[in-house]
Amino acid sequence: MAHRVMRDEEQDGWERSDFPIVCETCLGPNPYVRMQRISYGAECHISGRPYTVFRWRPGNDARYKKTIICQEVAKAKNVCQVCLLDLDYNLPVQARDSALGVEDEVLPESDVGKEYALAKMQADGTLTADSSFAKAKANDAILRMQRTTPYYKRNRAPICSFFVRGECKRGAECPYRHEMPTTGELAEQNIKDRYYGVNDPVARKMLSRVDAMPKLEPPEDSTITTLYVGGLAAGVAEGDLRDQFYPYGEIRSIRILEARHCAFVTFNDRSAAERAADELQNKLIVRGQRAKLCWGRPQERRPDAPAAAAPPPSMMPAQVAMQAGYNAAPPPFMPPPGPNFFNLPRPGVPPAYPSMDPLQAGTRVPAPGTEPEATKRRAPDAGEPGPLGAEKRLRQGEPGGGPPPFAAQPPIAAPQ
């Protein structure tokens, strides 16, 4: 840094900023943070350029935090100036680059190469807030590793070295933590290795944990084309699920159970269901909330469950009831309660006219080869008294076959 003091700071590209580029975890839960701003207060640990240093305390029980790299270097990798983790997914650079498939380095490791790369990025306008890493599409591995909520436990105060040696006399008034330090691979981290994404123990642990996670295997039964979607928010409509699943194939039905906050999406083809399961596993987001996706299972009938009862014949049409083997006549029509405006027959009351009887309105179907009772005409008997018997005797030429004679009436006397 000494060789830069005699040079013009405006032409040398020294950084001047009013606010740091930090993640939500390093900023802390308090929205009102008092920061110390020091222009050209330190040298960047990556590029070696002087930059504006910010120092603040993210909480009452937290340690003071300070930016350790300049903003140009932070924009080149889209990382925080304090913890060097990705700003979008809160992941180490090595884990993010492995998930996205990034192989080339943004900044070289040599001093001359870093100066040339930073100057070229500034001339091309590449060092902006919209980084290429932020525009990359999140895949399954990143969605499994990312942390969606701030992890404020990372801001805790450092461990008291006097307590480790057994010589701390402050007790509860000590601003440092009275804990024994943890040793191991995670405790040995280098700033440059974390920034360049090489030999990072935290990233290796995350990647190994992702590889050990189980994958969504399709069931052996090829007739299953239903996917179960769980953890849905209240008010999710059928259109929200259709927008997520329709690119993978034709959907047969979508059934939403609002009480259980889940849904069942059924495809017409098994191949479409497998494509949807592979693409949307661990990254299905419906209305801003991540949902669980797994294969549906066929409903198995319980051995003690009763068989489904057939509908009663009274609920079937007359033709269907006759074909099903029911010979009983359907019950009479039950008019709705209230005033009888249309003179419909009442239960238990014979109708005034035969045409008002619903049993005679074609609801009975005669058996094949038989004549309905209503169409049969009975032949009159000759010995039967009455008009029918007289008609029979008249046809046969028998006496008394004519109409019955009128009774003799006494003559009406003329008035005197």
Side-chain angles (χ1 to χ4, degrees):
M1 183 177 176
H3 67 281
R4 297 178 177 270
V5 176
M6 303 302 297
R7 301 177 61 177
D8 187 6
E9 60 185 33
E10 297 293 340
Q11 298 181 0
D12 202 21
W14 290 12
E15 177 191 312
R16 283 186 177 182
S17 57
D18 296 330
F19 197 82
I21 302 175
V22 294
C23 60
E24 188 176 356
T25 301
C26 295
L27 193 59
N30 186 7
Y32 305 100
V33 180
R34 177 177 295 180
M35 292 186 177
Q36 299 176 0
R37 179 176 175 273
I38 308 172
S39 299
Y40 317 125
E43 182 180 353
C44 177
H45 287 67
I46 303 298
S47 64
R49 288 183 172 186
Y51 70 102
T52 303
V53 178
F54 294 90
R55 186 173 181 268
W56 71 96
R57 191 176 184 183
N60 295 330
D61 56 346
R63 67 180 185 273
Y64 279 93
K65 288 202 166 187
K66 183 182 68 172
T67 56
I68 58 177
I69 60 175
C70 62
Q71 291 193 2
E72 287 82 2
V73 175
K75 291 178 182 179
K77 285 279 190 176
N78 194 35
V79 295
C80 174
Q81 287 187 261
V82 180
C83 62
L84 303 184
L85 297 181
D86 185 77
L87 294 174
D88 297 320
Y89 308 109
N90 203 8
L91 294 175
V93 174
Q94 183 178 352
R96 181 200 63 189
D97 293 348
S98 299
L100 294 178
V102 179
E103 298 181 358
D104 54 337
E105 293 291 342
V106 178
L107 288 180
E109 296 186 5
S110 62
D111 295 339
V112 178
K114 283 184 288 189
E115 291 288 343
Y116 174 77
L118 290 175
K120 185 178 180 181
M121 289 181 182
Q122 289 179 352
D124 298 342
T126 309
L127 298 179
T128 58
D130 297 333
S131 175
S132 59
F133 299 99
K135 297 178 182 178
K137 183 179 180 181
N139 53 16
D140 187 14
I142 286 184
L143 293 177
R144 288 185 181 186
M145 292 185 296
Q146 73 169 347
R147 185 182 294 273
T148 57
T149 56
Y151 186 64
Y152 297 121
K153 188 177 178 180
R154 202 171 60 202
N155 300 335
R156 293 181 302 172
I159 296 176
C160 180
S161 59
F162 290 92
F163 174 79
V164 175
R165 296 194 300 263
E167 300 176 359
C168 184
K169 300 180 181 179
R170 294 184 179 181
E173 298 180 356
C174 184
Y176 302 99
R177 287 186 295 152
H178 284 187
E179 298 177 6
M180 296 302 295
T182 57
T183 58
E185 185 183 15
L186 298 180
E188 301 175 0
Q189 300 184 34
N190 189 357
I191 294 178
K192 291 187 176 181
D193 291 344
R194 179 184 293 184
Y195 179 81
Y196 287 105
V198 292
N199 300 325
D200 192 349
V202 180
R204 286 199 299 267
K205 180 181 178 181
M206 289 184 176
L207 294 175
S208 61
R209 185 174 57 187
V210 169
D211 296 337
M213 287 184 178
K215 297 182 179 180
L216 190 60
E217 298 293 338
E220 298 180 357
D221 189 0
S222 60
T223 60
I224 299 178
T225 60
T226 302
L227 297 178
Y228 168 82
V229 183
L232 297 178
V236 174
E238 180 179 345
D240 300 331
L241 296 176
R242 190 175 297 275
D243 294 342
Q244 298 289 337
F245 288 95
Y246 86 92
Y248 304 100
E250 185 177 357
I251 299 175
R252 182 187 306 171
S253 63
I254 297 178
R255 182 185 176 189
I256 300 177
L257 303 179
E258 297 183 359
R260 299 187 177 182
H261 302 282
C262 64
F264 294 92
V265 181
T266 305
F267 289 87
N268 285 336
D269 300 332
R270 173 61 179 265
S271 59
E274 292 180 359
R275 287 195 303 268
D278 295 339
E279 294 292 336
L280 298 178
Q281 182 188 9
N282 296 322
K283 54 183 178 181
L284 176 60
I285 300 177
V286 182
R287 284 198 175 184
Q289 184 173 350
R290 181 174 299 179
K292 178 183 178 182
L293 184 67
C294 61
W295 284 93
R297 295 180 298 178
Q299 293 184 355
E300 298 180 358
R301 180 181 174 185
R302 297 180 299 176
D304 56 343
S314 60
M315 300 180 62
M316 299 181 180
Q319 297 284 354
V320 178
M322 293 296 295
Q323 294 176 3
Y326 295 102
N327 296 325
F333 174 72
M334 300 295 292
N340 193 1
F341 295 107
F342 301 98
N343 296 324
L344 297 176
R346 295 292 185 179
V349 180
Y353 301 96
S355 60
M356 298 179 62
D357 190 359
L359 299 180
Q360 306 296 333
T363 56
R364 291 185 178 180
V365 179
T370 60
E371 187 178 359
E373 295 291 340
T375 60
K376 287 183 180 180
R377 184 176 181 183
R378 184 176 58 85
D381 190 5
E384 182 179 356
L388 295 178
E391 181 182 0
K392 179 69 174 178
R393 291 191 296 270
L394 179 61
R395 292 175 182 174
Q396 296 178 0
E398 298 179 359
F406 292 95
Q409 299 292 337
I412 300 175
Q416 299 293 336

